[in-house]
Amino acid sequence: MDLLNAIVAFLNFVFVPGVAYGSQLALGALGVTLIYGILRFSNFAHGDTMAFGAMATILMTWWLQSLGVSLGPLPTALLALPVGIAATALLVLATDRMVYRFYREQKAAPVILVIVSMGVMFMMNGLVRFIIGVDDQRFADGTRFIISARDFKEMTGLREGLTIKSTAALTVVVAIIVVIALFWFLNKTRTGKSMRAFSDNEDLALLSGISPERVVAITWIIVAALATIAGTLYGLDKSFKPFTYFQLLLPIFAAAIVGGLGNPVGAIAGGFVVAFSEVTITYAWKKVAGYVLPAWEPDGLVQLLSTDYKFAVSFAILIVVLLFRPTGLFKGKAV
Amino acid sequence: MTGGYGRGGPDILHDCTISVNKGEIAVIVGPNGAGKSTGMKAVFGMLNLREGSVRIAGEDITHLTPQDRVAKGMAFVPQTSNIFTSMTVEENLEMGAFLRRDDIRGTMEQVYGLFPILKDKRRQAAGELSGGQRQQVAVGRALMTQPKVLMLDEPTAGVSPIVMDELFDRIIEVARTGISILMVEQNARQALEIADKGYVLVQGRNAYTDTGEALLADPEVRRSFLGG
Amino acid sequence: MRALSVRDVLLFLGVFGLIAITGFTQSWNVALGILNMGLISAIMALGVNMQWGYAGLFNVGVMGFVALGGLGAVIVSMPPVNEAWAAGGLRVLLALAVGVAAIAAAIFAWNRLKNAGIVRPLALIAILIAGFFAFRGLFDPAVAAIEAVNPATTGYLGGLGLPVLFSWPVGAALAAGAAWIVGKTALGLRSDYLAIATLGIAEIIIAFLKNEDWLSRGVKNVIGVPRPVPYEIDLQNDPGFVERMTGWGFDPVTASAIAVKLGYTALFLAILVLLLWLAQSALNSPWGRMMRAIRDNEVSAEAMGKDVKGRHLQIFILGSAVCGLAGAMMTTLDGQLTPGTYQPLRFTFLIWVMVIVGGSGNNFGAVLGGFLIWYLWIMVEPLGLTIIEFVTSGMADGSWLKDHLLASAAHMRLFTMGLILLLVLRFSPRGLIPER
């Protein structure tokens, strides 16, 4: 019984949050890795693209809510997502046209593009703050829990409760759908294959008649979709605050690099590696330990690191990978 | 043709003429730095021409981009990085046919007929193949556009002599299907043996032009370029 | 090869003119405030310019190095809290020593067990885990004891109680130490990785300052950092000063504020001039030429036998140390360390805007960029507000849109800085004073 309680506590506090957070990171890292694979630079504006996408979705959600539209048990934000994606796609396509294309034609060094993306980051950040402000915004509605701790306890008679927030479940489901769709697109469609070809060997792609501008435009649209979905899911699951999206940049990049920059499978794996490491290392294991080893009564929280240091975890993983396997777990493009 | 790289770069080619008829094999040979690859790139539009023109089947394509030349029936196999290493053999071929909107299965079967080993390995990543097989993928990819002219930049660079002979056999087969072949080669002797037409370039100029056989027989050419 | 052309001098005069206009139209107090932070910004820009302009290293962790400099100011100049030292000071030091020893042992084992197969990583992990628990076992109770000492005012170990000027080189040294760790790992990999690594270390340093209350009081802030210049109130109470100022026709209260600020200006200016002189001599020395040769073509420099990674590490440490120095100076100027206020947009990316706009690779350019961008950063906010007020003047008072726009005007400066950066990168990528 105690073991069961320990498992439930583990699932409740480590596994479920880890899966949800991992899905969000994976979606973010996919966007970063796609940009890296096709446009060949690390996009520092990605966090703020996520913030913009989430913001656009939130504004649409509020409008729908004010009209009384709802999806019943599901959050209205799902209905608003396509609008958010469209708005973000327009923004990034316009950014590409006005900013990045110039440097692409110049064949500028990647680091110049990174600095340029820094400028874009500033502007997007300013734009988001200007439109929606810096405060927390709530936009989640629908059912809050699939299983609440109390119901679970009544159902099973265990002392530990298992809570599954509907937003966490939704995050995972949406992430799975998005990833399947993305991989289907990249591996089965002509356009998707041309993107992979372009990422693999740009010159040969040109020789084969693949149009770079088209590949780039499609990439931006996909990235806008990924960023908006990731940003919205994160906002639904936790809360929307523009600055947190900027801070997500570090775990997202860590995930993409750990998996191997430019490799979509790696980005997903990296997302989960980073998320689970963060959650396990910053979780206070006292409760679980109490069930497994009742004789041992730790006086501390049995927490390896305080949650304030969760960035340190992404960072440490990043450093370990950079030291021992610079191309990432799955072979990426970068050295 | 006269031209060089970039807008202000020095001329590398000087009044150089290269041509190939339908179903023939033309080979460009010459010492290092003679402008062999440059001549090929000039034909494919990767170089600024100051004088002269490029025509295919009588149509002037001097001002088209390389991509547009692909659509006009030219295909180019670069010397290095000429395959998509992370993609399967079949996907490589599909990408070769990217511009085509019709059914490509027939052409793909033809390529597999020409290079049977590729059919066996079609689900494998091209980067995992051996050097000779990679070259086959590269040629196969170029053939997927159903080109009128196939241009090969040193197709046998870095492969073993046996593989080289096999590749040359395949190239002859390709030519027999009515595709013109323009090829730059380091292995001048073997290449001239299969050539209908040979061009010896020296410092960007045509030094000798004749049939492959005649060039092989020419004592001057033998002494200067074929090592006796 | 002259360092400055007439145009460059005019640019500098123009920026100082802008600051002077603020002095005439608003107040000299404000103008000197801008000038002082401008001096500090110029030093930060100088540090980043060493890394980027000389060597092409992409450091986006400026904030972390600046904050470490600030920590240096606290550690050196604040009076020690004897009670806290008695409660757990030595235990904390012991814990840190254990931590360092564990890491050293792990490195030693890793190097010695080269051929030990699976034992090698296992030994590494075992040593690190054992070391971690030993460290935490000593560290946690000691910290708890220290933080329990009068938490409202102290709750930390305090500093060494030395004059604050000593803290400036200490701040630089702290930043240099952190830079050494980052540089050892991330230099030599592609530039994006260095960027991510520095971004990460900056976030960690800030998290460290926010949470390690025993050292920095965390978000409770350390206030009252001693000053290298007199206090206003002392000047006002000094009859000699009051008499002289009244004699010159100044209000003593205003005059005391300005005199203090001028004191800082003189100090900062001296440091800036010294650094600028050092940086210029370094840039024009064989060492500087080698650095630029490496930047322009790493492969050929390496082929010529230059130790590219070693040089990069050197310049990375130097540049970060300059940022740390500026950070210590800033904390001294503010008189307080407030870990909660370190924002990457303000302390990392803004410095980058300064370097790019001023002219990367040119020390004078970076300094000019420091002054100009700092001035704009300060002035864009009221300017934006004025514009928004003008735009919204036609709207009804209390309307939703008007309130929203007025409240959001402050965020326009991020947007403006991004725009400036992009415009300069696009149309004048070499900056206002290009590299020569």
Side-chain angles (χ1 to χ4, degrees):
Chain A
M1 207 55 166
D2 273 354
L3 195 62
L4 265 183
N5 274 319
I7 291 171
V8 169
F10 169 80
L11 287 177
N12 191 30
F13 294 109
V14 177
F15 186 75
V16 172
V19 169
Y21 183 41
S23 312
Q24 289 147 8
L25 285 188
L27 289 179
L30 270 176
V32 165
T33 229
L34 277 181
I35 292 287
Y36 187 85
I38 303 287
L39 289 113
R40 298 173 213 287
F41 71 96
S42 304
N43 182 13
F44 269 58
H46 196 74
D48 287 296
T49 312
M50 281 166 64
F52 182 89
M55 177 195 75
T57 311
I58 290 173
L59 294 180
M60 185 67 198
T61 309
W62 284 345
W63 187 67
L64 287 174
Q65 284 169 343
S66 73
L67 293 181
V69 179
S70 95
L71 273 178
L74 293 172
T76 317
L78 281 185
L79 216 54
L81 256 184
V83 178
I85 291 173
T88 315
L90 283 180
L91 178 77
V92 292
L93 284 175
T95 312
D96 184 72
R97 177 60 59 93
M98 289 191 294
V99 183
Y100 295 119
R101 191 165 74 171
F102 172 78
Y103 299 95
R104 203 156 55 238
E105 283 165 0
Q106 304 270 304
K107 300 211 182 306
V111 69
I112 299 294
L113 277 161
V114 177
I115 297 179
V116 169
S117 79
M118 216 162 78
V120 173
M121 173 188 82
F122 259 109
M123 293 185 71
M124 281 194 184
N125 199 304
L127 196 64
V128 171
R129 291 180 187 209
F130 186 77
I131 296 178
I132 204 165
V134 290
D135 302 325
D136 264 326
Q137 307 289 347
R138 285 200 42 81
F139 64 108
D141 51 10
T143 323
R144 282 209 56 197
F145 297 106
I146 289 184
I147 309 174
S148 75
R150 185 152 31 101
D151 295 348
F152 184 85
K153 284 183 203 166
E154 278 170 14
M155 242 159 45
T156 57
L158 288 172
R159 258 198 301 151
E160 274 306 312
L162 178 65
T163 314
I164 297 183
K165 280 196 292 183
S166 44
T167 51
L170 187 74
T171 298
V172 177
V173 171
V174 171
I176 290 172
I177 294 172
V178 167
V179 167
I180 289 174
L182 179 68
F183 277 78
W184 173 81
F185 174 77
L186 287 178
N187 289 312
K188 295 291 171 209
T189 66
R190 216 170 78 97
T191 311
K193 285 180 193 174
S194 73
M195 277 175 62
R196 280 167 55 220
F198 187 87
S199 156
D200 182 311
N201 188 336
E202 190 175 334
D203 292 330
L204 195 61
L206 293 178
L207 289 183
S208 305
I210 295 168
S211 152
E213 287 307 308
R214 205 176 104 91
V215 166
V216 166
I218 291 170
T219 307
W220 278 118
I221 294 172
I222 295 175
V223 167
L226 287 169
T228 307
I229 294 171
T232 306
L233 290 177
Y234 188 87
L236 275 177
D237 194 33
K238 305 201 160 81
S239 75
F240 176 85
K241 197 175 180 189
F243 189 63
T244 51
Y245 286 86
F246 171 80
Q247 289 188 315
L248 274 180
L249 208 55
L250 185 63
I252 283 177
F253 267 104
I257 293 177
V258 165
L261 259 183
N263 183 325
V265 182
I268 296 167
F272 284 100
V273 168
V274 170
F276 273 104
S277 317
E278 251 185 42
V279 177
T280 38
I281 290 179
T282 56
Y283 172 61
W285 289 90
K286 182 173 182 150
K287 206 171 209 173
V288 176
Y291 286 118
V292 180
L293 302 165
W296 180 47
E297 275 187 20
D299 31 296
L301 292 167
V302 202
Q303 184 184 21
L304 292 175
L305 271 180
S306 103
T307 41
D308 302 304
Y309 286 119
K310 60 182 184 188
F311 294 116
V313 179
S314 333
F315 184 72
I317 299 171
L318 184 69
I319 292 296
V320 169
V321 169
L322 287 184
L323 281 179
F324 296 104
R325 204 181 159 88
T327 51
L329 300 177
F330 295 78
K331 204 166 172 303
K333 298 168 69 74
V335 177
Chain B
M1 298 181 291
T2 299
Y5 292 102
R7 213 164 290 150
D11 288 352
I12 298 171
L13 294 178
H14 310 275
D15 292 333
C16 173
T17 304
I18 298 164
S19 73
V20 57
N21 293 327
K22 187 169 157 54
E24 279 186 358
I25 300 177
V27 174
I28 309 174
V29 295
N32 280 336
K36 300 187 297 282
S37 292
T38 310
M40 181 97 94
K41 285 178 182 159
V43 175
F44 200 63
M46 292 154 86
L47 169 89
N48 291 342
L49 282 190
R50 255 178 286 284
E51 276 168 36
S53 61
V54 181
R55 284 189 297 274
I56 185 164
E59 187 183 347
D60 192 329
I61 53 167
T62 316
H63 300 292
L64 293 187
T65 62
Q67 284 87 294
D68 291 335
R69 293 180 199 217
V70 172
K72 291 285 177 196
M74 280 188 161
F76 181 55
V77 180
Q79 185 183 342
T80 52
S81 346
N82 48 21
I83 54 168
F84 299 111
T85 48
S86 66
M87 303 176 83
T88 66
V89 170
E90 188 155 291
E91 284 172 337
N92 265 275
L93 298 184
E94 279 176 47
M95 285 301 108
F98 185 77
L99 284 178
R100 287 176 56 185
R101 292 279 164 188
D102 52 337
D103 191 4
I104 61 168
R105 269 174 299 183
T107 321
M108 201 175 277
E109 280 313 313
Q110 280 174 8
V111 171
Y112 286 148
L114 203 57
F115 304 113
I117 186 77
L118 297 189
K119 186 162 192 175
D120 301 338
K121 308 220 168 197
R122 64 177 197 255
R123 303 244 174 267
Q124 224 171 326
E128 295 168 2
L129 302 184
S130 72
Q133 289 164 356
R134 282 161 169 248
Q135 291 300 65
Q136 296 183 8
V137 175
V139 174
R141 184 204 61 83
L143 287 175
M144 287 305 291
T145 47
Q146 292 183 312
K148 297 191 186 93
V149 185
L150 176 64
M151 305 203 293
L152 306 164
D153 192 356
E154 303 200 12
T156 65
V159 301
S160 70
I162 304 169
V163 175
M164 180 172 82
D165 287 345
E166 201 195 317
L167 262 176
F168 279 151
D169 287 347
R170 297 282 178 266
I171 289 167
I172 295 171
E173 272 184 58
V174 172
R176 287 211 186 108
T177 62
I179 295 174
S180 315
I181 298 203
L182 180 61
M183 161 164 89
V184 167
E185 259 302 332
Q186 283 283 352
N187 299 307
R189 187 185 297 272
Q190 291 86 336
L192 286 177
E193 274 169 12
I194 64 162
D196 296 298
K197 216 180 250 174
Y199 294 91
V200 180
L201 294 197
V202 178
Q203 292 185 337
R205 292 172 213 278
N206 291 103
Y208 302 92
T209 306
D210 213 325
T211 64
E213 229 171 310
L215 286 176
L216 280 171
D218 186 330
E220 190 79 4
V221 174
R222 288 173 70 102
R223 191 158 16 99
S224 316
F225 306 112
L226 303 176
Chain C
M1 197 168 83
R2 267 190 323 172
L4 285 174
S5 68
V6 177
R7 179 175 168 274
D8 302 341
V9 174
L10 287 177
L11 280 170
F12 267 103
L13 288 177
V15 173
F16 291 129
L18 284 175
I19 298 177
I21 288 172
T22 314
F24 283 116
T25 55
Q26 296 184 24
S27 83
W28 285 102
N29 208 354
V30 173
L32 281 175
I34 295 177
L35 181 66
N36 282 345
M37 266 314 288
L39 284 162
I40 290 175
S41 301
I43 293 175
M44 292 180 191
L46 210 52
V48 171
N49 183 46
M50 285 181 182
Q51 297 173 336
W52 169 245
Y54 293 16
L57 299 177
F58 191 42
N59 171 9
V60 280
V62 183
M63 168 181 77
F65 300 116
V66 168
L68 273 182
L71 179 66
V74 168
I75 294 179
V76 169
S77 68
M78 288 305 284
V81 181
N82 294 325
E83 256 180 285
W85 273 101
L90 292 176
R91 279 190 289 160
V92 160
L93 290 184
L94 180 68
L96 292 177
V98 166
V100 171
I103 291 172
I107 293 172
F108 178 75
W110 181 255
N111 287 334
R112 283 303 292 272
L113 296 171
K114 276 227 162 63
N115 303 314
I118 187 73
V119 178
R120 193 182 185 202
L122 288 182
L124 183 79
I125 292 168
I127 293 174
L128 286 178
I129 289 179
F132 180 78
F133 280 102
F135 165 74
R136 286 290 296 267
L138 284 165
F139 186 72
D140 289 359
V143 165
I146 291 172
E147 288 174 4
V149 175
N150 200 0
T153 53
T154 54
Y156 77 129
L157 286 175
L160 300 172
L162 296 171
V164 72
L165 284 182
F166 285 121
S167 75
W168 296 2
V170 171
L174 281 178
W180 180 77
I181 296 173
V182 184
K184 269 287 183 191
T185 20
L187 285 174
L189 297 164
R190 43 172 297 129
S191 49
D192 310 45
Y193 287 1
L194 179 66
I196 309 292
T198 46
L199 188 74
I201 196 94
E203 289 294 337
I204 291 174
I205 290 172
I206 299 303
F208 177 79
L209 291 184
K210 275 186 188 166
N211 293 294
E212 298 307 312
D213 289 17
W214 60 276
L215 185 64
S216 64
R217 295 199 77 223
V219 287
K220 290 182 286 182
N221 302 339
V222 176
I223 52 169
V225 177
R227 281 182 176 186
V229 294
Y231 285 84
E232 288 88 345
I233 193 76
D234 294 338
L235 288 179
Q236 286 160 29
N237 291 338
D238 174 5
F241 178 82
V242 174
E243 195 182 321
R244 200 172 327 141
M245 289 303 136
T246 355
W248 289 349
F250 294 121
D251 166 35
V253 176
T254 322
S256 68
I258 288 176
V260 168
K261 286 215 163 59
L262 278 175
Y264 278 118
T265 309
L267 271 174
F268 293 166
L269 193 62
I271 300 271
L272 178 64
V273 168
L274 178 71
L275 279 177
L276 198 53
W277 177 72
L278 285 174
Q280 275 304 98
S281 337
L283 191 61
N284 294 320
S285 69
W287 178 85
R289 281 194 291 278
M290 174 182 65
M291 278 301 179
R292 286 188 283 178
I294 291 177
R295 179 196 63 190
D296 293 337
N297 193 339
E298 261 180 49
V299 178
S300 75
E302 193 136 34
M304 282 157 64
K306 306 287 182 220
D307 175 11
V308 173
K309 202 179 166 191
R311 296 306 108 204
H312 275 174
L313 185 61
Q314 199 177 33
I315 196 94
F316 186 67
I317 291 175
L318 276 176
S320 303
V322 171
C323 292
L325 174 72
M329 291 164 64
M330 193 185 75
T331 302
T332 311
L333 176 66
D334 292 345
Q336 56 182 354
L337 178 69
T338 50
T341 57
Y342 287 91
Q343 302 270 333
L345 288 172
R346 152 74 183 87
F347 284 99
T348 295
F349 296 103
L350 193 66
I351 311 299
W352 269 91
V353 178
M354 292 170 182
V355 174
I356 304 271
V357 169
S360 40
N362 189 314
N363 292 319
F364 290 100
V367 170
L368 177 73
F371 285 117
L372 176 64
I373 296 299
W374 180 254
Y375 174 81
L376 291 177
W377 180 253
I378 295 297
M379 297 317 279
V380 160
E381 197 173 333
L383 202 67
L385 195 61
T386 319
I387 292 172
I388 296 278
E389 271 170 357
F390 176 75
V391 169
T392 54
S393 57
M395 296 181 192
D397 271 337
S399 88
W400 167 81
L401 187 61
K402 181 169 185 170
D403 287 349
H404 177 78
L405 286 176
L406 284 175
S408 308
H411 305 304
M412 283 315 282
R413 64 180 181 182
L414 285 173
F415 189 85
T416 317
M417 287 302 141
L419 191 63
I420 292 174
L421 178 65
L422 289 180
L423 289 176
V424 169
L425 274 174
R426 171 77 178 256
F427 297 106
S428 171
R430 284 155 57 77
L432 289 173
I433 307 184
E435 186 183 351
R436 278 179 246 285

